[in-house]
Amino acid sequence: MTGQEIFVIGTSQTVASAAMREQIYVDLEELYETLGELLTARGLLDEAVPLATCGRLELYCVASDADRAVKVLVRMMERRTGVARDALRDHVYALSGDQAVRHLFRVASGLDSVVHGEAQILGQVREAARDSRAEMTKGPILHRMFETALATGKKVRTETEIGRGAASLAGAALGMVQREMSSLESSTALVVGAGDTGSLVARILSKAGIGKLVLANRTLANAQAAGRCLGADVVGLDGMTEVVARADLVVGAATADDYLVTAEALSDALSGVDEGLGGRQRYFLDLAHPRNFDPAIAGIPGVRLFDLDHVFERVEAANASRAAQVPRAEAIVVDQAENFRRWLTSRQGVDVLRAVRAHVLDVAKEEAERFSRGRTAEEREEIRRFARSMARTLLHQPTVALRDADPGSPSGRSLLEAAPALFGVDLEENDEASST
């Protein structure tokens, strides 16, 4: 079908603070439910795939009227979050066409990450693309686009050294905290959440020689599976208060709508510990989005809080060592985006071309049948051959023009849009016929 356009609308650490991202945040399950309505009942979108990480929330879409779709989505976001439209404009971006494609490819390549070349983002893109719920919301365009993004990320990591020595965001954050801690070997760490980020944090801490490691998770079986090979203790979220009070380092990496550690609860827990505060420093590292820890805990004596905003500020210098690899990585992204554009161009041109050819050949067949009435079998076959030959001869030049038409250029777009009307073709009717 022609007239479809790719776009992305979203927010990330590059344009919004952790507090603002929390306000804009939409639970994935809720987002998928909304997408079901937008894709079916309202027909606003043709395809959609959300991408959610600790630092970004994006929605990649295909729509016949991208401008209208973006406006509707912003209005829905405004109603859902309570954030004024002017504020959203400052903290939400919308990219369309080639810009949207390149953006996803840069994301998958780690070029839009806080830590350039980080490996974790490629897995997160893969998880978004292959989420079972996405199978119901994406179509051929976004399927191809996400698979090409994954290939691009892999190609960048294979053909450049941008990922060499590049920590994940979790690794960079732990490194930042570790520089302030006196010793890991004599410390107790509590990791809240046993998903991808929590499990990665636990592995990094175990490898670094943490004295005691505890995993807290809503589902104990998941925490046990993640902590078994690390020798970690396991507790449920409802039983972690005592561990929080006794831990030297607490890392938040759980998915939760509300704070898992509030200032009031932490103060009460610390006051009940025998050694009290006693000048002992406790470190809280919040890698969750929305945040797991109430920012007010930073005001409690002896508590040092780091959140994603602190991490983003501190790791910029680490990117300088990989800066020399960025131009080559960007060139790969451009090449891959151009390959995708060519595929998309050929797909859109083929849809129109197939419909025009089918229509012209059907007309030729009908006319041959009309002029064949009362003729002998041999004469009827000769008339049919002549009609097909004439139709193909007349179609040759339009076929070449439609095949080479570029939907991205004004002239190519005009040709592809005009062809159905000029040849009397109903593309939607043709799509329905071909799908039955």
Side-chain angles (χ1 to χ4, degrees), residues 9 123 152 403 436:
I9 181 171
T152 301
R403 185 189 61 206
T436 56

Side-chain angles (χ1 to χ4, degrees), residues 169-181 283-287 304-315:
L169 179 62
L174 285 172
M176 179 183 69
V177 176
Q178 192 175 341
R179 284 191 290 273
E180 296 201 12
M181 296 180 67
Y283 297 88
F284 286 75
L285 174 59
D286 200 339
L287 299 179
R304 184 89 160 87
L305 173 65
F306 298 89
D307 63 16
L308 286 170
D309 286 346
H310 293 106
V311 180
F312 298 154
E313 291 171 4
R314 299 286 185 91
V315 299

Side-chain angles (χ1 to χ4, degrees), residues 15-236:
V15 296
S17 65
M20 177 55 69
R21 294 199 308 278
E22 278 183 6
Q23 287 185 267
I24 301 174
Y25 180 80
V26 180
D27 179 73
L28 268 184
E29 196 62 47
E30 180 183 343
L31 182 54
Y32 270 111
E33 289 178 7
T34 304
L35 287 178
E37 179 186 352
L38 296 176
L39 287 160
T40 55
R42 298 181 64 171
L44 182 74
L45 305 175
D46 298 326
E47 302 180 31
V49 174
L51 172 61
T53 73
C54 59
R56 73 179 64 246
L57 177 62
E58 297 175 333
L59 182 61
Y60 291 85
C61 305
V62 175
S64 55
D65 189 343
D67 289 341
R68 174 174 170 267
V70 168
K71 290 175 183 176
V72 171
L73 289 170
V74 169
R75 285 199 297 270
M76 292 178 67
M77 196 181 303
E78 185 181 12
R79 290 197 299 270
R80 161 67 177 75
T81 64
V83 179
R85 195 171 306 175
D86 287 344
L88 286 177
R89 191 176 294 114
D90 292 335
H91 301 291
V92 172
Y93 46 79
L95 305 170
S96 61
D98 292 342
Q99 283 188 319
V101 174
R102 283 196 299 271
H103 178 75
L104 176 60
F105 291 7
R106 293 186 79 253
V107 169
S109 301
L111 292 170
D112 199 57
S113 298
V114 177
V115 181
H116 282 165
E118 65 139 326
Q120 192 178 7
I121 185 62
L122 189 60
Q124 292 166 330
V125 173
R126 182 180 295 107
E127 184 179 330
R130 298 175 185 176
D131 190 310
S132 59
R133 295 167 296 186
E135 296 301 321
M136 304 299 294
T137 62
K138 69 179 178 180
I141 294 177
L142 289 186
H143 172 76
R144 180 67 172 251
M145 179 171 154
F146 268 81
E147 291 302 313
T148 307
L150 293 173
T152 301
K154 185 176 180 180
K155 187 177 177 71
V156 164
R157 286 165 177 80
T158 301
E159 298 184 11
T160 76
E161 296 184 358
I162 195 168
R164 178 168 296 181
S168 63
L169 179 62
L174 285 172
M176 179 183 69
V177 176
Q178 192 175 341
R179 284 191 290 273
E180 296 201 12
M181 296 180 67
S182 56
S183 169
L184 281 182
E185 291 78 5
S186 60
S187 300
T188 295
L190 168 65
V191 179
V192 184
D196 289 343
T197 301
S199 297
L200 176 60
V201 168
R203 290 196 300 272
I204 294 172
L205 286 171
S206 177
K207 188 176 181 180
I210 190 73
K212 182 178 181 181
L213 179 62
V214 183
L215 294 182
N217 198 57
R218 187 173 289 104
T219 306
L220 280 178
N222 292 349
Q224 289 166 347
R228 189 174 295 120
C229 62
L230 303 176
D233 294 339
V234 173
V235 297

